[in-house]
Amino acid sequence: MRLRGAIAPRNFVYKRKMSLAQSILEGNRLALARLLTQAENDAQEGRAILAELFQHTGKAHLIGVTGAPGTGKSSLVNQLALYYRKNVDKKVAIVAVDPSSPFTGGAVLGDRVRMRDLSGDPGIFIRSMASRGSLGGIAQKTASLVQIFDAAGYEIILIETVGAGQSEVDVARLAHTTIVVEAPGLGDDIQAIKAGILEIADVLVINKADRPGVENTERALRSTLELAHPTKRIFRHHGKDMSISAPITDSTLWIPPIVKTIATEGKGVDELAAAIAKHVEHLQQTGDALMDRFLENIQRQKYEEMIEKVVNRDISPYEAVTALLNGNRK
Ligand SMILES: Nc1nc2c(ncn2[C@@H]2O[C@H](COP(=O)(O)OP(=O)(O)O)[C@@H](O)[C@H]2O)c(=O)[nH]1
Ligand SMILES: [Mg+2]
């Protein structure tokens, strides 16, 4: 902590000035905004606070919303945020990442205007992040912003990314649930297939369902999904190809549902939120199963030792997992 004024006695200053991290944990929005800016600029002082906040993270559900420009991502994010505020009273943060637009860009302004339904609500915080230069840094910066929101008690964090390619995939990797948004009329080739982002989708949305061509889009999506997630298992038996067409009930398997929405009218938003909730449930179940298998193979005492070290920030979570898997003492 930096001491201001040399005249003030040390203790006096110490008692009066709450650390930025502390202020953020107590819900101070100005402090939050300040740290977000520091993180976005990758400032040195921000990094230390980020490390301090790390132990308060891990509670939020991160929802990535991605897809081609103009499909209605911002409109959907707006609707989802409203849904979570109204129906489950959760604190919501929105991180809008727009690498294609400079920070004075109209797109960012447009997003702000569209998000006016949400302004003035203390349970919501919207942050538009325009890239300044390198694409590579975006995922890292987004991760920092998300970590700050998580520590600050935002339970739902919606991350909107635009553009195609690696930056999108990197950001999607951050999210627990990734929503890929399509819209009819963007040509016969579905944008997501072109960009290869269908693979990262947990939930597929066909937005602008009020527009013509919805069925075509849905058909194309379904056939692509079937290729990626076959519902039939083919195996060889006595030299013949056989198949089981009964639905696969393996609980670790997740087939992305397709949800149709009209974001401008708020239609289909409840269904989308239900699909997201189902995915959360799925993550918890498969997570628990993984955890059980993991715990079977390591000593309980050692596991707890590692947890304590991570919480005390003696070692990073990565080091802890590596140590546990290697069976080494750290
Ligand atoms: N007809 C129709 N227009 C929509 C719908 N959702 C969004 N839009 C419009 O599509 C345009 C792009 O929306 P936006 O949310 O900015 O898309 P983004 O670029 O993916 O974030 C805006 O003019 C929206 O009003 C919808 O469901 N139906
Ligand atoms: Mg947008």
Side-chain angles (χ1 to χ4, degrees):
M1 178 183 305
R2 200 182 295 150
L3 296 177
R4 273 200 302 222
I7 340 134
R10 198 174 273 252
N11 286 344
F12 175 76
V13 174
Y14 181 77
K15 271 187 193 148
R16 292 218 34 208
K17 195 164 179 279
M18 207 190 273
S19 77
L20 193 56
Q22 206 58 47
S23 307
I24 288 163
L25 293 173
E26 295 195 356
N28 183 327
R29 287 173 76 94
L30 267 175
L32 174 60
R34 232 173 89 197
L35 182 60
L36 291 170
T37 303
Q38 287 179 1
E40 203 181 331
N41 297 331
D42 200 19
Q44 193 60 49
E45 46 188 332
R47 268 186 234 170
I49 303 164
L50 225 75
E52 198 178 333
L53 288 177
F54 180 72
Q55 59 182 295
H56 300 279
T57 62
K59 287 166 236 144
H61 182 61
L62 318 185
I63 304 171
V65 179
T66 194
T71 48
K73 297 177 297 298
S74 296
S75 311
L76 267 178
V77 162
N78 189 350
Q79 290 292 348
L80 279 174
L82 279 173
Y83 175 92
Y84 289 119
R85 289 302 298 143
K86 284 187 184 154
N87 297 292
V88 284
D89 195 26
K90 291 207 168 162
K91 279 179 81 179
V92 180
I94 297 171
V95 182
V97 189
D98 193 345
S100 62
S101 139
F103 50 92
T104 50
V108 174
L109 191 66
D111 288 348
R112 288 234 173 94
V113 171
R114 230 166 289 131
M115 284 166 180
R116 69 188 177 278
D117 301 347
L118 302 166
S119 65
D121 177 350
I124 191 133
F125 203 111
I126 303 168
R127 186 80 183 190
S128 282
M129 189 172 73
S131 94
R132 288 157 212 181
S134 77
L135 272 177
I138 292 173
Q140 186 54 50
K141 283 176 186 176
T142 308
S144 298
L145 298 200
V146 163
Q147 188 183 321
I148 295 163
F149 279 125
D150 188 351
Y154 288 83
E155 298 150 292
I156 302 278
I157 304 175
L158 294 156
I159 311 160
E160 179 191 341
T161 50
V162 72
Q166 196 54 42
S167 69
E168 216 164 31
V169 174
D170 284 347
V171 174
R173 226 175 254 141
L174 270 179
H176 299 119
T177 303
T178 300
I179 299 169
V180 172
V181 185
E182 290 290 336
L186 290 175
D188 279 344
D189 290 341
I190 290 181
Q191 301 299 308
I193 299 170
K194 267 192 188 162
I197 56 172
L198 209 57
E199 290 155 36
I200 59 170
D202 297 308
V203 178
L204 281 160
V205 169
I206 303 173
N207 187 44
K208 304 196 181 181
D210 54 324
R211 291 266 180 91
V214 180
E215 280 113 59
N216 283 346
T217 307
E218 188 173 2
R219 210 174 304 124
L221 276 179
R222 282 209 194 282
S223 56
T224 315
L225 269 180
E226 266 162 37
L227 286 176
H229 306 270
T231 49
K232 279 185 179 176
R233 272 179 178 169
I234 299 178
F235 61 97
R236 286 186 78 77
H237 184 68
H238 298 303
K240 272 187 182 170
D241 281 340
M242 313 272 283
S243 76
I244 307 173
S245 38
I248 296 168
T249 49
D250 185 347
S251 68
T252 59
L253 192 72
W254 174 262
I255 296 169
I258 298 174
V259 182
K260 281 173 263 180
T261 59
I262 306 173
T264 40
E265 296 168 25
K267 286 194 180 140
V269 176
D270 290 6
E271 288 81 355
L272 176 55
I276 294 168
K278 244 188 160 166
H279 186 247
V280 173
E281 223 173 83
H282 166 81
L283 287 178
Q284 282 162 348
Q285 280 164 7
T286 50
D288 286 349
L290 271 176
M291 196 65 186
D292 286 346
R293 248 177 284 163
F294 177 68
L295 287 176
E296 263 171 33
N297 295 312
I298 58 162
Q299 289 172 12
R300 186 85 213 169
Q301 190 201 340
K302 202 158 160 206
Y303 170 72
E304 269 154 22
E305 222 173 85
M306 286 300 160
I307 294 278
E308 204 181 315
K309 281 188 180 176
V310 172
V311 170
N312 292 335
R313 285 184 290 121
D314 292 335
I315 58 172
S316 72
Y318 179 78
E319 284 175 307
V321 172
T322 310
L324 285 169
L325 291 176
N326 292 339
N328 298 326
R329 255 165 207 279
K330 181 103 195 178

